[in-house]
Amino acid sequence: PPPPPRAPTMVAPAAPPPPAPVHAPPAPPAPEDTGPVLQPQRHGPPDRTLADSAVARARAVDYAAEIARYEAELTAGAAHADKARASELAYEIGELYERRLRDEAKAVKSYARSLQSDPAFQANTLAIRRIFYRRSLWPNLIKLIDAEVRFVQGDAGRAALWYEKGRILEDRVKNPAEAQICYGKALEADGAHLGALMGLERLAGKDDAALAPVLRALAGACGDPARRAAYLFDLARVDERRGEMDAARAALEETWNLGVDPERAVLELGRLAELRDRPLDVLAALELEYALREPARSAAVAAATAAGPDAPADHPAVRAALLATRRVAALRRRQAQVARQAGDLVRATLHLDQ
C-alpha cells in the first residue's frame, strides 16, 4: 500500500553571507619637519596692498593747495624777474590741472601763460599740442605751430613744423591749397624733406606740369637706387605726356646708369625713340639692348660647350644657348633694318654679317 502523506515542513531561509571586510586607505606619510612655515608679510593693515596705499596717498594730496602755492610764487616779484622760472611754474600749474584735476580748459590757460613767459620752453608747447590734438582744435593748433615757427632754430625743425601744418590742413581742415603752400615752405627750409615732397606729389594728382618737378626732386632725394629708379620711370612717362621727349630720354638714360631694372630701361628707350621716329636713337637703344643680352648669350654658349659634343638637342644647356643666340640674332636683324631705313647701308651690312 502507498505510504501515508507527510505533513509539510517549514524551511527557514538561509542566512546572508557576512559582508566583506572593508580595508581603510593607507594613512599618508607624516610630513617631514622642515621648520616653521613663513607667512607673507604685508605692509599696513591686512586688507590693503602697497598699490592701495599709494593710491590713497595720491588722493589725499590737496592739489588745489599746491596750485595756490605755485600761484603765490608766480605772483611774487622774483618770479616776474625770472622769466624761465615763471614759465616753469605756469607749466606745473597746467600739469596739475590737466593730469590731476582733469580740467583741460584751465590747463590750456596755464600753458598759454607759460608760453608767453618763455616761448622756447619745449615741454610747454608739447603739452598744448597734446591737448589740441586730443580735442581736435585744429585752428588753435595751426596758430600754435605758427608761433613755434618764429622761435624754432635750424632748418630741419622749421621744415618739420611746416610739414606738420601742411598735413593738418590737408587731412583735417581739407584745405589742399594752403597745404600745398606749407609743403613748399618746408622745402624752402629743407629741399630734401621727403614728407613734403610726397605731400606735393599727392596734391599734384594728374597735373603733369606740377608733378614733373616733384618727381625730379623725389628722385634726387632718395638714397635707395630701386626707389630712385621707380621715380625716374614715372618722371619719364610724365615728361612724355607733356611732350618733353628730351627730358624723358634723359630720365631713362639716368635709370639705365643706375643699373636697376636695365631691361625695362632699354625697352622704354627703344619705345620712346620709335615713337619720335628717330632711327639713330632707335639704333642706340638697340645697341644698349645688345650689350645687355650678349654676355648672357656667351655664358649660355659656354655652358652648352661644357656639356660636350654628344649632348642631346633637348639638353637644358643646349636649349638655353639656342634661345639666347636666336634672341641676339633677331636683335641684329632689327638693327640692320633700322640702319637700312636710315640710309646707312654699311652699318646694315655689318649687322647682317654679325
Side-chain angles (χ1 to χ4, degrees), residues 5-333:
R6 297 180 179 180
T9 58
M10 299 296 294
V11 180
V22 179
H23 299 284
E32 298 181 2
D33 188 8
T34 57
V37 178
L38 299 179
Q39 299 294 333
Q41 299 295 325
R42 301 175 63 90
H43 298 272
D47 58 341
R48 293 171 65 87
T49 63
L50 287 176
D52 296 332
S53 301
V55 171
R57 287 195 302 270
R59 289 176 176 173
V61 175
D62 189 359
Y63 295 110
E66 287 193 12
I67 292 175
R69 186 168 62 253
Y70 289 147
E71 288 283 358
E73 185 179 353
L74 188 60
T75 55
H80 283 290
D82 189 356
K83 295 296 184 181
R85 179 58 180 168
S87 178
E88 292 176 0
L89 289 172
Y91 172 76
E92 289 295 334
I93 294 173
E95 280 276 325
L96 291 174
Y97 275 126
E98 178 188 1
R99 300 187 181 277
R100 300 303 181 185
L101 300 182
R102 306 298 181 185
D103 192 341
E104 290 187 348
K106 291 183 178 180
V108 169
K109 292 180 180 179
S110 298
Y111 291 145
R113 186 165 50 171
S114 174
L115 183 64
Q116 292 176 357
S117 300
D118 187 5
F121 189 30
Q122 189 67 23
N124 176 49
T125 55
L126 291 176
I128 300 177
R129 179 184 277 106
R130 180 175 63 245
I131 293 177
F132 286 168
Y133 267 110
R134 188 163 56 239
R135 302 181 68 180
S136 300
L137 299 175
W138 310 122
N140 296 347
L141 183 56
I142 290 173
K143 293 179 182 178
L144 174 64
I145 294 174
D146 290 335
E148 285 187 83
V149 168
R150 293 195 297 267
F151 298 100
V152 71
Q153 296 180 359
D155 293 336
R158 192 174 297 106
L161 289 173
W162 280 118
Y163 170 70
E164 182 182 5
K165 182 179 178 181
R167 288 305 302 263
I168 294 170
L169 289 169
E170 180 185 358
D171 298 337
R172 304 297 183 178
V173 185
K174 307 300 181 182
N175 191 342
E178 292 293 330
Q180 189 172 9
I181 294 174
C182 292
Y183 292 147
K185 291 184 177 180
L187 290 176
E188 291 177 3
D190 183 4
H193 195 286
L194 288 177
L197 288 171
M198 295 176 70
L200 289 177
E201 182 187 9
R202 285 193 307 271
L203 295 176
K206 297 182 179 181
D207 186 0
D208 291 338
L211 187 58
V214 175
L215 290 175
R216 167 55 65 183
L218 279 170
C222 283
D224 183 20
R227 191 173 180 183
R228 185 179 180 185
Y231 281 126
L232 288 173
F233 279 128
D234 292 343
L235 176 61
R237 287 301 180 106
V238 170
D239 287 335
E240 180 184 343
R241 291 197 300 264
R242 295 171 59 218
E244 300 290 339
M245 298 299 183
D246 292 335
R249 185 171 184 270
L252 291 175
E253 289 178 350
E254 186 176 352
T255 309
W256 165 267
N257 294 330
L258 286 175
V260 178
D261 201 355
E263 186 171 354
R264 180 184 175 186
V266 74
L267 292 177
E268 287 289 327
L269 280 170
R271 183 190 62 80
L272 186 64
E274 291 182 357
L275 183 64
R276 301 176 69 185
D277 195 14
R278 292 190 174 183
L280 295 180
D281 291 347
V282 174
L283 286 174
L286 291 174
E287 193 63 34
L288 289 177
E289 186 176 357
Y290 172 77
L292 183 65
R293 297 191 183 279
E294 176 58 24
R297 185 198 70 84
S298 300
V301 171
T305 305
D310 298 332
D314 59 349
H315 191 278
V318 176
R319 294 177 59 185
L322 288 174
L323 180 60
T325 303
R326 287 168 183 165
R327 285 178 177 175
V328 173
L331 185 61
R332 286 306 193 188
R333 283 196 299 270

